[in-house]
Amino acid sequence: MELGESIVEFIELLMIAASVAVVVKFTKFPYTIALVLAGLFVGLSGLLPEIPLTRELVFTVILPPLLFEASLNMDIQDLRENFKPISSLALLGVVVSTLFVGFFLNYTLGIPLELSLLFGAMISPTDPVSVLATFKSLSAPKRLSVILEGESILNDGAAIVVFAILLEMLESGKINLISGVAEFFIVCIGGAAIGLAVGYLAYRVLAGIDDPLVEIAITIILAYSSFLISEHFHVSGVIAVVAAGLVVGNYGRVFSMSPSTRVILTDFWSVIVFLINSIVFILIGISTHLNIFYAWKEITVAILAVIAARALVVYPAMSVWRFPNLWKHVVFWGGLRGVIPVALALSLADDKLISAMTFGVVIFSLVFQGITLEIFVQREFKDVRRERIEEALARFIAAKSAKFELQRAVESGRIVEPIAEKLLIEIDLEVEESKKELEIALKEEDSKELVQKVKRYVLDAKKSAIRDATAKGVISHDTAEKLLREIDTEISQIYGD
């Protein structure tokens, strides 16, 4: 394919994605699901020639920025606090999916065990993009979003490693469980080590630069270099990208970037991920040929096996950690499959049945599970009272922030005082009105959750100040660790009240 044709097709995909985005704004239809359906329509109608979604394209070009952006915006404190349930869901999800789906398909369909186990590993990564988009629009509990996103980040890396090990064993004809487990840990730890090292190096470089464009360019290089370096040394590039993103997102962004750079960085990566996800979900639809349904019986069995494996993981794991039943149902049905299973299926292009089953499960997951989950979540998490408090709080915060920034601009000489005084009168009125509105909302509604958030915000500010002082050499690491442990205890007590 010539470069000119590729550019034209890329622009056409963007036009389709933008058109779908405009339509769903009016219809409130889930965006990612609408993209898949649009891709199916484009593929069936022949409006565009089939664009090959190769494994190399997905893993080398598409996957690093998606993983980097997700980990960049993941609060490491939230991840630490919820690590036990997240790791339980992620690691058990990969193991149970691989074993249960593998043995189930081997028993019911007679697929060779090695190949059915490979399919089980291939289909285990979850993709919460559309679920989290729904959560954000409905202000669903933040902890539930953290669990779903954290699970996806961890099981992506684990599943890809397990898949690669099983594929290597299948191709060599030698299956050795002990060496497979050892290789799993080596590949994961190696990827994490490289990601942390490269991420820390980028963090130190960013600390000496105050140019948003250069800093963003460094994060792009980091996303791809951490993946490529790890793959060169035959360890997990996926885990390396996640580790690097966590370092820059939680330390580089806080200690090495100005407020304006943080905003630009967030907006830039949001646009990149929006474009990539839009194109990928359309390509999934285009790449899904109707002839896969010659294997409708096998696809049906695979769907049932994947759903059963998900239930076997979610309900026991979340019961151990005492989550409410509603959350269990959402996490169970919210384990949607997306980009990564399709990419892994492309590695087995010669096996038409496995590819058909993978595409069938992904389409069912994104379309049927996605739509039904959207309806369920809208019904269960829509809270008008909470929205009223949040709206009043948002107006008050915005007005106070505007006043603070205006006063700081006057002090720095960027705005002359006579002009600022006129604006301050208007802003002061806005602050007072929003304050009264917030006070009324807090009296009429239960504000316990909001008080918890404020306490958490204050404690996070203390932690940030201590880390900053440690980085500048004002206090020692031992003192910092002691104070940080005390604050972590206070944070845990907030949610135990």
Side-chain angles (χ1 to χ4, degrees):
M1 185 183 294
E2 294 182 1
L3 178 61
E5 293 178 357
S6 300
I7 294 174
V8 169
E9 290 179 357
F10 176 74
I11 297 298
E12 289 172 338
L13 287 173
L14 288 182
M15 290 173 63
I16 294 171
S19 302
V20 171
V22 171
V23 171
V24 298
K25 285 293 181 183
F26 293 100
T27 61
K28 303 298 182 182
F29 193 77
Y31 178 59
T32 52
I33 300 169
L35 288 170
V36 174
L37 294 176
L40 284 169
F41 173 76
V42 170
L44 292 173
S45 62
L47 292 177
L48 285 178
E50 183 176 343
I51 302 171
L53 191 62
T54 64
R55 183 180 187 276
E56 289 72 22
L57 173 66
V58 172
F59 275 86
T60 307
V61 179
I62 292 174
L63 203 53
L66 293 181
L67 292 169
F68 185 79
E69 192 271 346
S71 56
L72 188 71
N73 293 310
M74 171 66 71
D75 188 326
I76 203 167
Q77 181 63 36
D78 288 335
L79 191 61
R80 187 183 295 119
E81 290 172 4
N82 296 283
F83 184 75
K84 291 180 179 178
I86 288 173
S87 58
S88 300
L89 290 169
L91 299 179
L92 275 178
V94 174
V95 173
V96 172
S97 174
T98 301
L99 296 177
F100 179 85
V101 173
F103 280 101
F104 187 83
L105 295 184
N106 172 253
Y107 177 77
T108 56
L109 300 177
I111 298 174
L113 182 59
E114 297 86 351
L115 199 57
S116 58
L117 288 172
L118 198 66
F119 175 79
M122 178 194 309
I123 207 68
S124 58
T126 57
D127 186 348
V129 173
S130 55
V131 180
L132 293 179
T134 300
F135 280 11
K136 289 176 183 177
S137 66
L138 297 176
S139 298
K142 181 184 178 183
R143 192 181 183 196
L144 184 55
S145 300
V146 169
I147 289 170
L148 272 171
E149 190 168 13
E151 179 204 4
S152 176
I153 290 174
L154 288 186
N155 74 11
D156 284 355
I160 291 170
V161 172
V162 171
F163 174 85
I165 293 171
L166 288 173
L167 183 60
E168 183 181 336
M169 289 182 177
L170 183 64
E171 291 174 344
S172 65
K174 298 178 182 178
I175 297 180
N176 188 321
L177 183 61
I178 295 176
S179 66
V181 172
E183 186 178 353
F184 174 81
F185 284 105
I186 291 171
V187 168
C188 290
I189 293 171
I194 289 176
L196 291 173
V198 177
Y200 180 77
L201 177 62
Y203 158 55
R204 300 306 303 174
V205 171
L206 289 168
I209 300 172
D210 187 19
D211 186 326
L213 297 181
V214 176
E215 291 175 84
I216 290 170
I218 290 172
T219 62
I220 298 172
I221 295 169
L222 176 63
Y224 284 102
S225 63
S226 56
F227 183 87
L228 295 173
I229 292 171
S230 298
E231 291 295 313
H232 176 75
F233 288 103
H234 305 291
V235 293
S236 177
V238 171
I239 292 176
V241 173
V242 171
L246 286 172
V247 171
V248 172
N250 287 272
Y251 298 99
R253 184 157 57 180
V254 175
F255 302 128
S256 302
M257 296 182 185
S258 65
S260 59
T261 300
R262 292 174 205 159
V263 172
I264 296 171
L265 180 76
T266 301
D267 290 344
F268 170 81
W269 280 104
S270 296
V271 171
I272 293 297
V273 168
F274 168 77
L275 293 176
I276 292 175
N277 270 323
S278 299
I279 291 172
V280 169
F281 281 110
I282 291 175
L283 291 179
I284 287 176
I286 293 175
S287 302
T288 304
H289 302 289
L290 284 183
N291 59 13
I292 69 167
F293 294 107
Y294 78 89
W296 67 269
K297 291 181 181 178
E298 289 83 357
I299 291 173
T300 303
V301 172
I303 290 171
L304 294 175
V306 170
I307 291 174
R310 181 72 178 169
L312 287 173
V313 171
V314 170
Y315 287 101
M318 296 197 72
S319 295
V320 168
W321 304 111
R322 300 180 181 179
F323 286 101
N325 287 331
L326 175 59
W327 286 29
K328 297 175 190 175
H329 302 329
V330 172
V331 173
F332 160 63
W333 204 240
L336 307 185
R337 269 61 180 182
V339 176
I340 293 180
V342 171
L344 296 176
L346 294 168
S347 305
L348 305 174
D350 295 336
D351 197 305
K352 301 298 182 185
L353 177 59
I354 295 297
S355 295
M357 290 165 58
T358 304
F359 274 90
V361 170
V362 169
I363 293 297
F364 171 85
S365 174
L366 290 175
V367 178
F368 181 76
Q369 283 185 257
I371 292 174
T372 52
L373 182 70
E374 171 94 3
I375 296 169
F376 178 77
V377 171
Q378 282 184 341
R379 187 179 73 240
E380 296 296 334
F381 287 113
K382 194 72 172 177
D383 190 339
V384 176
R385 293 174 301 173
R386 181 176 173 180
E387 285 182 357
R388 184 184 176 192
I389 292 178
E390 287 190 349
E391 183 178 343
L393 178 63
R395 292 182 187 279
F396 179 69
I397 290 174
K400 290 285 288 185
S401 178
K403 181 177 180 179
F404 173 76
E405 290 296 333
L406 183 59
Q407 289 173 332
R408 192 166 67 170
V410 171
E411 291 174 2
S412 64
R414 285 178 292 163
I415 297 179
V416 294
E417 196 165 350
I419 296 176
E421 287 176 354
K422 293 181 180 179
L423 292 174
L424 278 171
I425 294 173
E426 297 177 9
I427 294 175
D428 283 335
L429 289 174
E430 189 177 345
V431 169
E432 286 302 315
E433 289 176 3
S434 59
K435 182 180 178 182
K436 290 177 183 177
E437 184 182 347
L438 180 59
E439 288 173 347
I440 294 171
L442 290 173
K443 286 179 182 178
E444 295 179 355
E445 313 295 350
D446 181 11
S447 58
K448 180 181 177 181
E449 186 176 351
L450 182 60
V451 172
Q452 288 179 336
K453 285 184 178 180
V454 173
K455 287 182 179 178
R456 174 63 188 273
Y457 178 84
V458 172
L459 291 173
D460 284 344
K462 288 183 178 180
K463 291 183 71 171
S464 178
I466 291 170
R467 287 172 179 162
D468 192 25
T470 306
K472 294 176 180 177
V474 177
I475 60 176
S476 68
H477 284 281
D478 291 340
T479 302
E481 287 180 7
K482 179 184 176 182
L483 295 175
L484 290 173
R485 281 197 299 270
E486 291 176 0
I487 295 173
D488 284 338
T489 302
E490 291 184 62
I491 290 174
S492 64
Q493 289 173 350
I494 292 175
Y495 301 102
D497 293 340

